Amino acid sequence: MAAETVDTAGLHDWITRFGAAVAEKREWLTELDSAIGDADHGANMARGMSAVSEKLASSAPAAADDLLKTAGMTLVSSVGGASGPLYGTFFLRMGMAAGAVQELDAPALAAALRAGLEGIVARGKAEPGDKTLLDAMSPAVDAFDAALAGGGDLAEAAKNAAVAAATGRDATLPLVARKGRASYLGERSAGHLDPGAASTALLFESLDATIAAG
Ligand code: ADP
Ligand code: MG
């Protein structure tokens, strides 16, 4: 039977998987950013997540909030692009919502993900449809909640969130960017996937893999 909670080691595993995924897809993320940005999203995410992994390897916190906050602060301080503060805020707010616990059950993880999403909205002021990473994250968090509300377990929620994030990423293709560097291109930003939505799909794919493995 699949686990009904994710503990601090599980959250660490998620972060490690996300780091490996952005490192593996680094060229692709940069290619996406070269079409509508400044060709650094792959490098930004790979550098940031590698700094996070190093930091956590030197002092792995025992509590969920410490782990998530350490990841968030490391991202904010190691990535110069927009994505560093945005993903950093996501993990920081997740940590604040999680609190000093050793494990999160499905509703607690849902609440933490929602808090992370709200932190990104507060920081970046983007709305759904602006062609940003929110277009993958917002449907993912909604799908996570909907699965639980429908009686689904943690594994089903994580799976549905990963599928929704990938669908949201793909749905950025025709959009005209209204936030971030891509917005400077106006109508010419249409016809390209948003790089941040692509990395966010990897974030939820990694969470699903962690839950499925647990
Ligand atoms: P930069 O744009 O500074 O070069 P990155 O290339 O690392 O930083 O990240 C770009 C991504 O950040 C975009 O594809 C978009 O998804 C996301 N992004 C940019 N601005 C915002 C914002 N205000 N709100 C949410 N996401 C944003
Ligand atoms: Mg960029």
Side-chain angles (χ1 to χ4, degrees), residues 127-144:
E127 289 174 13
D130 283 351
K131 197 179 181 103
T132 71
L133 51 81
L134 279 182
D135 290 317
M137 191 177 287
S138 187
V141 175
D142 286 349
F144 197 102

Side-chain angles (χ1 to χ4, degrees), residues 15-30 41-51 53 199 202-203 206:
I15 287 168
T16 302
R17 284 176 193 269
F18 180 47
V22 296
E24 193 196 322
K25 305 281 185 186
R26 179 191 169 124
E27 300 304 323
W28 176 58
L29 295 172
T30 287
H41 189 59
N44 284 343
M45 294 306 297
R47 184 175 65 251
M49 291 310 297
S50 141
S53 285
S199 57
L202 297 175
L203 179 71
S206 302

Side-chain angles (χ1 to χ4, degrees), residues 29 32-33 36-45 79-84 86-87 120-121 123-127 130-135 178-182 193-200:
L29 295 172
L32 295 176
D33 197 31
I36 59 171
D38 57 353
D40 65 356
H41 189 59
N44 284 343
M45 294 306 297
V79 180
S83 56
L86 291 168
Y87 276 104
I120 289 184
V121 172
R123 179 127 197 175
K125 308 273 187 297
E127 289 174 13
D130 283 351
K131 197 179 181 103
T132 71
L133 51 81
L134 279 182
D135 290 317
R178 287 190 294 249
K179 278 283 183 298
R181 270 177 207 285
L193 289 180
D194 177 63
S199 57
T200 291

Side-chain angles (χ1 to χ4, degrees), residues 201-214:
L202 297 175
L203 179 71
F204 282 91
E205 200 180 286
S206 302
L207 180 62
D208 178 37
T210 290
I211 304 294

Side-chain angles (χ1 to χ4, degrees), residues 57-127:
S58 68
S59 65
D65 59 345
D66 289 339
L67 182 102
L68 292 163
K69 286 187 212 168
T70 299
M73 285 183 303
T74 306
L75 280 175
V76 171
S77 62
S78 64
V79 180
S83 56
L86 291 168
Y87 276 104
T89 299
F90 173 77
F91 286 114
L92 276 170
R93 293 292 188 94
M94 267 195 88
M96 287 160 65
V101 296
Q102 307 281 332
E103 62 178 13
L104 303 177
D105 62 9
L109 180 59
L113 290 169
R114 176 70 60 189
L117 167 68
E118 286 171 355
I120 289 184
V121 172
R123 179 127 197 175
K125 308 273 187 297
E127 289 174 13

